[in-house]
Amino acid sequence: MTDSFTHVTCPKCGYEQNPSTAKKCEICGQALKKGNSLAPILLGAGALAFLGGLAGLGVIGYNTFFKPQAPTTPPGGTVVVPPGGGTSQTTPTNPPSTAPPTTAPTSPSPAGDVASALSWGDRVLFADNTNADLQAGVAAFASGDLATAVTRFQSARQALRNDPEPLIYLNNAKLGNTPALGIAAVVPANDTPNAARELLRGVAQAQDEAIQAGVPIKVMIADDRNDPNQAAAIANALVQNPDIVAVVGHGTSTATLAAAPIYQQGQLPMIAPTSTTTDLTTLTRQGSNMIFRVIPSDQFTGTTLARHMLSTGKSRPIVFYNSQSSYSQSLQTAFSTTLGLEGGQVASLVDLSQGNPAASLQGSGADAVVLIPDSATFDAAIAVAQANQGQIPIFAGDAFYRIETLEKGGNSLNGAILTVPWHPLRSTPPFAQTASSLWGGDVNWRTALSYDAFQALKTARSVGNVAPGSGTTGRTALASALGGQGFSAMGSTGAVTFLPSGDRNATVLLVQVQPGSRSGTGFDFVPLP
């Protein structure tokens, strides 16, 4: 996907390329309004069983279903315990004025905004959280009363089982003055809180497991509000904070692109869990690479789909897409480019937004159908599948990874192949089982990938012999380990390794529509062998 700062992120599926003028998400159809938040839906047992199997399967519409909290004004704290231990410190009202230069096309937010957007446990960052124990816990943490903070965070954790913020603060408070590495998790907490919590669940789970294994790591949560100016300001603050050795974030490609040049120049390693933009790979870098990601880029997704189709003996597809959708256009370009380079040829390129696209099947001479719709043209793509009547095989992009595909497509999509970034049935044990027990429900792809980012940093810490208090030396050692030959960390998606570009060296998962009883539609998404 190609990002610009005039796009709107969907609060439901997290798609970040909706034009600022769009009223609905072009992927999942969610109504768009700046700052909105999708309230989770309470499901019946049958629906929950199905979505429990599909939660996190694709980028379309399968969020975890947890009870939302009522709005509140977050309390402010001014005292934090640094991850390396020692005496509590007062958070500076104004960060140092000598920030590293950046090539990002942004200007920093006011210093006060940055200070109130960072927390080791001294303030509640999510404005929709009213839990009294959590608020009492952060007040105690801010005053240096860690014993009380632990007690109140434990109570908040029991009341908010699905909320990662109390667990992260609880672990930080338990570590107290124990020397520990500091990792910042930057998420859009008050722009898309559901997606932010999904990301933090992976971080919290990985931190919890690390501490239980005797690896002390403290986590600072930062809220970039999915705003490029705020993301750049936070990046500058983190670069200047010697207690931070690495960053997991940001939540979207827009924020990541604004912050990445600052991390690169400031020599602070960052691992992006969910930023797919190809622009991150082409970012101009000087010196050792500091920018990594654990999710396949859009180019990887299009390439995987094209290569799989070619492997089945099909090389002349008719491709249906929406020329008015940046998402659809981007994936179509990646697919078609790979196809052409590797011996195939697009028989016909059909715009789903124009006329009667299904009629284009007649006389096309194609040996496969490729469907890359957005939400606005989803029904038109279903009509194409129905008109095809199973005559030639169907391949599709991740916009088809939704329950409506099974409900509306039915038998016309039997055997169709789709791309996905993660699938619980392909998850490395015991991640999915542990996550379900920890959070009281199934998690999705954001949680899995942020977990992988943390696991990569934990492994790099060991490889690079990074100790608490190592400062800039530790940052460089982490980055060198991540980019080193032979580096590998075990995550929810299997081995995590990186290419010299910082992209993850992994393939995109493929699922197939097959007859099944899990969804109640007669068909299910099943991962290919």
Side-chain angles (χ1 to χ4, degrees), residues 235-383:
N236 274 311
L238 296 180
V239 165
Q240 296 170 57
N241 188 335
D243 293 323
I244 300 296
V245 296
V247 176
V248 174
H250 294 224
T252 68
S253 293
T254 297
T256 301
L257 286 174
I262 300 172
Y263 295 131
Q264 178 63 37
Q265 187 148 356
Q267 295 294 281
L268 177 61
M270 177 206 78
I271 301 183
T274 56
S275 299
T276 63
T277 176
T278 55
D279 289 346
L280 195 62
T281 303
T282 59
L283 183 72
T284 301
R285 297 166 183 167
Q286 297 177 349
S288 300
N289 180 41
M290 295 283 157
I291 309 302
F292 303 85
R293 68 167 137 209
V294 290
I295 187 172
S297 72
D298 288 336
Q299 185 60 54
F300 278 51
T301 300
T303 295
T304 296
L305 193 62
R307 287 178 174 169
H308 180 77
M309 190 195 74
L310 288 169
S311 73
T312 67
K314 308 302 179 183
S315 61
R316 188 174 166 78
I318 178 171
V319 179
F320 295 84
Y321 78 116
N322 183 2
S323 66
Q324 306 304 309
S325 163
S326 57
Y327 156 76
S328 184
Q329 175 71 57
S330 174
L331 190 53
Q332 180 274 124
T333 299
F335 172 86
S336 298
T337 299
T338 299
L339 182 69
L341 290 173
E342 301 194 5
Q345 181 181 0
V346 173
S348 180
L349 196 58
V350 182
D351 193 338
L352 286 164
S353 66
Q354 303 296 320
N356 179 17
S360 301
L361 287 170
Q362 299 296 325
S364 67
D367 59 8
V369 172
V370 175
L371 301 174
I372 309 177
D374 62 347
S375 63
T377 55
F378 176 79
D379 287 341
I382 290 292

Side-chain angles (χ1 to χ4, degrees), residues 366-464:
D367 59 8
V369 172
V370 175
L371 301 174
I372 309 177
D374 62 347
S375 63
T377 55
F378 176 79
D379 287 341
I382 290 292
V384 171
Q386 292 170 338
N388 179 54
Q389 296 182 337
Q391 296 182 38
I392 54 179
I394 293 177
F395 302 84
D398 47 24
F400 252 43
Y401 205 36
R402 52 200 287 188
I403 185 64
E404 292 86 354
T405 296
L406 305 178
E407 292 173 338
K408 297 181 178 181
N411 193 56
S412 66
L413 286 170
N414 188 17
I417 303 294
L418 289 73
T419 54
V420 299
W422 177 76
H423 192 295
L425 296 181
R426 289 290 178 267
S427 181
T428 302
F431 169 76
Q433 296 86 346
T434 301
S436 180
S437 175
L438 186 65
W439 305 115
D442 292 290
V443 296
N444 75 1
W445 61 287
R446 291 187 186 89
T447 299
L449 292 171
S450 62
Y451 177 90
D452 283 5
F454 195 104
Q455 290 293 88
L457 289 172
K458 187 181 76 171
T459 301
R461 161 207 156 273
S462 178
V463 172

Side-chain angles (χ1 to χ4, degrees), residues 95 106-111 114 227-238 240 258 262:
T106 59
S107 58
S109 295
V114 175
D227 176 85
N229 290 329
Q230 179 75 353
I234 284 176
N236 274 311
L238 296 180
Q240 296 170 57
I262 300 172

